[in-house]
Amino acid sequence: MISPLAHIDPKATIGKNVTIEPFTMIGENVTIGDNTWIGPNVTVFSGASIGKNCKIFPGAVIAGIPQDLKFQGEDSTVMIGDNTTIRECVTISRGTVEKQTTVIGSHCLLMAYVHVAHDCVIGSHVIIANSVQIAGHVSIDDWAIVGGSSAVHQFVKIGMHAMVSGGSLVRKDVPPFTKAAREPLSYAGVNSLGLRRRGFSSESISHIQEVYRYLFLNSMNNSRALEEIEVNLPATKERDEILNFIRSSERGVMKGYIN
């Protein structure tokens, strides 16, 4: 059902069984997938593509222009996958000339007052808790969780299945499968509970823990630790994911355990 009190641009493409509540504005060239619900007082600007079975709550602003002084009005987009929930007053900026798009994956939950800036890429099954502020060009991989009121610096990467503690200042990359906490942000162990919930075996979790003993608990620099891991630990999908993440880090990874 589309309320007569909603404004829908004629150039928008609306799927089947979509609900759009009163006082919501849908701009031109917006695409909304089947069975999506958009609550009252939502603003969806031109360039947004929203998937199927999504829920967008009151006050959200999707595909607003970037808060970037270099932005010159270039065409850009926001892409939101299927089955994603966007709660009250979330703001998602569209991309700039660098990537031209901001991406939110499928089966994500963005809680109230989250801000996702331009050119971010957020994977699927990601949970971002209340009032998290994510700067431009941030990458968050599948199944990651970012605790409430955290601030994520531009160009930071957060690996898959990582969990960032609430109230964190995330200035460095957070490797996959880890828990990150304290100030400055540092390694707080492997996210073993989350991994068990997602079907990882005890053997796989123990292997991940052994990888991080080399990286964060043995007083070696990262280059030496990576060499030791490749020599002493068997190759697995998880081991190689960690090694590739560390090697590709541009901002550097978070610190090891701080007593």
Side-chain angles (χ1 to χ4, degrees), residues 169-226:
L169 301 178
V170 188
R171 306 179 183 94
K172 297 287 187 179
D173 293 348
V174 178
F177 315 114
T178 61
K179 294 184 292 185
R182 310 182 184 93
E183 173 57 30
L185 195 72
S186 56
Y187 175 69
V190 168
N191 185 17
S192 54
L193 180 58
L195 295 177
R196 288 192 185 95
R197 288 173 174 170
R198 293 161 200 156
F200 283 73
S201 68
S202 296
E203 181 181 7
S204 293
I205 294 170
S206 295
H207 185 65
I208 292 168
Q209 289 171 329
E210 187 64 26
V211 172
Y212 281 117
R213 287 189 186 99
Y214 279 88
L215 277 165
F216 289 138
L217 302 177
N218 280 350
S219 301
M220 291 185 284
N221 63 40
N222 285 344
S223 297
R224 173 70 186 281
L226 294 176

Side-chain angles (χ1 to χ4, degrees), residues 7 9 56 60 88 100 118 169 174 179 181 212 241 243-244 252:
H7 172 76
D9 190 278
I56 301 179
E88 295 83 357
Q100 296 186 319
H118 57 88
L169 301 178
V174 178
K179 294 184 292 185
Y212 281 117
E241 176 70 27
L243 297 183
N244 291 335

